Each structure stands twice: as structure tokens, then as C-alpha cells.
Amino acid sequence: MSPSLNSNVSGPSKDEGAGVSPQNKVSWSSFLKSIASFNGDLSSMTAPPFILGTLSLTEFSAYWTQHPSVFVAPAAEQDPAKRALLVLKWFLSTLKPSYSTRNDKYGSEKKPLNPFLGELFLGKWEDEAGTTELVSEQLEGYNGQKASFSRTIHIKQIGHALLTLSSHNDETYLITLPNIHIEGLIYGKPFVELNGCTYISSSSGYVSKIDYSGKGWVSGKKNSFTAVMYPTGKEKDVLYSVEGQWPESFTIREGGGKHGNVIDTFNARTQPITPLIVPPLSQQDPWEANKAWEKVITAITKGDMDTTNAEKSKLENAQRELRRKEQSEGREWQRRFFSRGDRAEEWWEKLARGCAGERIECEKTGGVWRFDKEKAESARRPFHEGVTPF
């Protein structure tokens, strides 16, 4: 999607702004006018403080593992087709926490804090599957999202996810990301819908294709999706199919018809969430998200918009100065847990065959980044001794 934006915003209706408090009406109106002429990537979009959330985008990685037992289940499965199905089930289970948690908690979607280069979010889950560790690091200043607006914000997510099962000879899954619509913005009650299709392509020879619909053409229900899994290059030979609503529940069947045997179900509303354990603020490094954004988060929680703006600008300006200094000294920021992959084109050629229309777009993500076990083993607080984000 081009970062340039064309929009037509009609005159206000009596319902517009219904979800905005009277004291925020002016800044809300200014925000709508600003995005009507917005031209750039999503990280450069300035939102009024009252629609800011208290989470940074680095924390969103935790949504992918709120059900650790579902996340690790593929590693224990010996059959490659069933393994690929378990990966599909896991990915579908991440959609509700990833795209509707803020709406459930606050009554509307909130704009996350834009992460800065080097920002970290670290934690762990403990359940019957054992201990699952989370390492989230902002690797580029660009957050990988482009937006356009016409009463709805349309977001194109740039980049892909890679899941590797080391217990199965480094079996790898390429996961593409859905397009996002932010609806309800005109009325001050934004919420997320997904559209288009995404793929999960495995090195073991299976592809899952997921189609999203704001309102199902069969069920007539919003947030609907259908998915099919088939051998790579054989889309008509459907092995498993899935149907449901991603914020609610879905059903997995054998074959491609609606009458196939039901082999599994998942209820996103009732599935218990395993809490993420993070170090207390007193033990966190200045580069960890909660510590870095502490004053901003406190101000947002109190509704103190002046302090929110001041503290947010302080951090953002300090980051700009760090980038200028690096550029003048001819050096690059050192990542603590990830390194650029050296075989990007090789694995892309193999895995992307099952993903119609997808491009690697390394130039927009700074390369293909992989977790670096050696770096991780030596990483210790303080992560950047003598340097803070401020």
C-alpha cells in the first residue's frame, strides 16, 4: 500500500463524536482533520493523548502466547500435518488478544505507544507446559505499518513472522499478517476489524490460508473467518477446515466441507489466560518498556494530558538525538537479542511459494531478524551500560 493518502470525509452527523467526552471534543476534531491529510507511516501519526493506550507495541508480542500450552503444542506432535494444524490453531487463538483486548478492557481501541529503537519487553509464563519465555525487542525505528483514511483507518502491516520448531529439525513456518481496519473512529469509539487473507506456509510442505470478513457472507456475523489447510501447491486437496469468529470461537473439521467430522474447537471467550510474569519496575532496566514509559503511563492513567505530552516528547526527542549521534559517528545501534538472518532469500523462496502476492520487503524492515541464542545468553541488565533512552 502506498503511504500517500487520499480521503473524503463527509460533514458531521449528530452521532459523530458520541464516544468522546466534552473536554476532548476539540482535540478529537483536530485529530480527524489531521488524519484526513495524513501522509506517512503509522508511527508518525500523532494522536491526541486521550486516545492513547498505556501499552507499547513491544508489549503486543505477549498476545501471541497468552495460552502457552496451545503455543507449545506443535513441538510435541510427531505427525507433520497435525503439527501444521496445531500451528494454525495457535495462530487463530492469538487473534482475539491481539486485536480486541483493548476494546474489551476500555470500551474502544486505543492507539499504542510507538516503540523506540532498542525498547525491550521481557517476561515469562508458567503453566502445565512449563516455563515459556518472552523476549520482545524493537529492532527498527519504523514499526512496519502504513495507514490511509476514509472514515476508516486502513492499516497494512509490513513484515512477517517466523516460527521455528527446533525439536523437529528446525521446521519453520512463515506467517503473514492481516490487514487491519480501525472502524468507529468518527464516533469516537474505535474498534478493530480484519480483512483480506493471510497464510501460514511450512517447510514440512503444508499451507494454511485464512480469509477474514468484517461481516460473514454466510453467517452474517462480524469478525468472521474461514481457513483451510492443504499440501503446498494443492489448494483443492483440503485436509482440514476452520470456521468461526476470531473474538469468539471456532470449529476445526476434517476435509473442506461443513459436514466434516469435528476434531477440535476453541472458545476465545472462555479459554483461561495465563498471566505474564514481568519483573517489578524497581528491577527493570531503563530500556524495558514499562520502565521507559513509566511517567507517560502514569500521566495517561491520571488523565493528565499536559504531562503525557511533555514526557512523551522528552523520550521521543532523546531518541532522535541518539539517532543523529549514531549517524554522525558512522555506527549502528546494537541489538541485544536478535541478529539479521543470513539466508533470507533462500528460506523466502521456499516458504513464500504458498503465499500468493506476498513480498519479503527487507528494505522496509531493515532485514530479516532472527532470535540470536548466543546474544541472549550473554544479555544482562543493564542492557546498554551508560546509555539510557532519555
Side-chain angles (χ1 to χ4, degrees), residues 165-186:
L165 303 180
S166 57
S167 59
H168 293 283
N169 197 30
D170 287 343
E171 183 174 281
T172 301
Y173 294 79
L174 170 66
I175 303 169
T176 69
L177 306 175
N179 292 331
I180 302 171
H181 287 176
I182 306 295
E183 304 283 356
L185 196 68
I186 291 292

Side-chain angles (χ1 to χ4, degrees), residues 185-248:
L185 196 68
I186 291 292
Y187 307 103
K189 298 279 287 184
F191 62 93
V192 169
E193 284 193 355
L194 307 179
N195 78 319
C197 71
T198 62
Y199 296 90
I200 304 174
S201 178
S202 74
S203 60
S204 58
Y206 298 95
V207 173
S208 294
K209 180 183 178 184
I210 308 161
D211 288 287
Y212 307 90
S213 173
K215 193 169 186 179
W217 65 274
V218 175
S219 64
K221 298 176 181 178
K222 68 177 183 178
N223 305 134
S224 297
F225 76 90
T226 59
V228 290
M229 189 188 115
Y230 48 86
T232 304
K234 300 179 180 179
E235 191 167 350
K236 294 183 178 180
D237 297 340
V238 175
L239 302 175
Y240 301 102
S241 57
V242 192
E243 185 176 25
Q245 293 172 274
W246 53 264
E248 303 291 339

Side-chain angles (χ1 to χ4, degrees), residues 44-349:
S44 66
M45 181 184 289
T46 302
F50 74 90
I51 69 166
L52 285 177
T54 55
L55 295 179
S56 168
L57 269 176
T58 56
E59 299 177 65
F60 280 36
S61 300
Y63 292 139
W64 284 46
T65 324
Q66 286 195 343
H67 311 297
S69 295
V70 179
F71 174 62
V72 303
E77 175 56 56
Q78 297 306 307
D79 182 88
K82 292 179 180 178
R83 248 189 337 266
L85 178 63
L86 288 172
V87 171
L88 172 60
K89 176 186 175 182
W90 157 71
F91 177 74
L92 294 173
S93 77
T94 71
L95 297 178
K96 180 189 184 307
S98 294
Y99 299 110
S100 74
T101 294
R102 280 83 55 203
N103 197 75
D104 291 344
K105 184 176 181 179
Y106 302 111
S108 65
E109 186 61 48
K110 297 290 184 180
K111 184 182 185 297
L113 298 166
N114 290 325
F116 52 85
L117 179 59
E119 181 176 318
L120 298 166
F121 187 59
L122 310 174
K124 64 181 180 180
W125 296 269
E126 293 180 346
D127 69 351
E128 64 272 16
T131 299
T132 305
E133 295 188 24
L134 169 68
V135 177
S136 179
E137 179 175 12
Q138 182 67 18
L139 303 171
E140 289 292 316
Y142 172 64
N143 70 17
Q145 295 179 325
K146 292 180 180 178
S148 61
F149 177 71
S150 179
R151 298 183 69 89
T152 294
I153 295 179
H154 304 271
I155 300 172
K156 165 68 174 174
Q157 300 195 83
I158 305 297
H160 309 86
L162 289 173
L163 174 69
T164 299
L165 303 180
S166 57
S167 59
H168 293 283
N169 197 30
D170 287 343
E171 183 174 281
T172 301
Y173 294 79
L174 170 66
I175 303 169
T176 69
L177 306 175
N179 292 331
I180 302 171
H181 287 176
I182 306 295
E183 304 283 356
L185 196 68
I186 291 292
Y187 307 103
K189 298 279 287 184
F191 62 93
V192 169
E193 284 193 355
L194 307 179
N195 78 319
C197 71
T198 62
Y199 296 90
I200 304 174
S201 178
S202 74
S203 60
S204 58
Y206 298 95
V207 173
S208 294
K209 180 183 178 184
I210 308 161
D211 288 287
Y212 307 90
S213 173
K215 193 169 186 179
W217 65 274
V218 175
S219 64
K221 298 176 181 178
K222 68 177 183 178
N223 305 134
S224 297
F225 76 90
T226 59
V228 290
M229 189 188 115
Y230 48 86
T232 304
K234 300 179 180 179
E235 191 167 350
K236 294 183 178 180
D237 297 340
V238 175
L239 302 175
Y240 301 102
S241 57
V242 192
E243 185 176 25
Q245 293 172 274
W246 53 264
E248 303 291 339
S249 63
F250 56 83
T251 301
I252 303 174
R253 300 177 183 273
E254 289 182 331
K258 287 190 130 194
H259 305 293
N261 291 332
V262 174
I263 60 172
D264 202 358
T265 60
F266 184 88
N267 191 313
R269 292 285 182 190
T270 60
Q271 181 78 12
I273 292 175
T274 301
L276 177 66
I277 302 169
V278 297
L281 280 174
S282 61
Q283 297 177 19
Q284 289 188 26
D285 187 85
W287 291 90
E288 292 181 68
N290 292 166
K291 188 71 172 179
W293 292 103
E294 181 180 9
K295 292 181 180 179
V296 175
I297 293 169
T298 299
I300 291 173
T301 303
K302 290 180 177 179
D304 183 348
M305 297 301 105
D306 290 338
T307 302
T308 297
N309 265 332
E311 293 296 336
K312 186 168 173 287
S313 296
K314 178 182 175 182
L315 179 54
E316 292 169 346
N317 290 334
Q319 286 298 304
R320 293 186 187 101
E321 182 58 34
L322 278 174
R323 301 291 82 78
R324 282 192 289 266
K325 185 177 180 181
E326 288 166 3
Q327 187 174 20
S328 67
E329 296 175 357
R331 58 186 175 86
E332 184 179 31
W333 178 255
Q334 296 301 303
R335 283 73 174 178
R336 281 293 171 259
F337 292 90
F338 293 81
S339 296
R340 288 187 180 90
D342 57 1
R343 296 166 53 203
E345 298 297 335
E346 180 182 329
W347 65 255
W348 180 263
E349 287 296 325

Side-chain angles (χ1 to χ4, degrees), residues 15-32:
D15 294 323
E16 291 185 4
V20 180
S21 60
Q23 65 267 32
N24 291 322
K25 291 273 187 178
V26 173
S27 57
W28 166 82
S29 179
S30 298
F31 174 58
L32 289 185

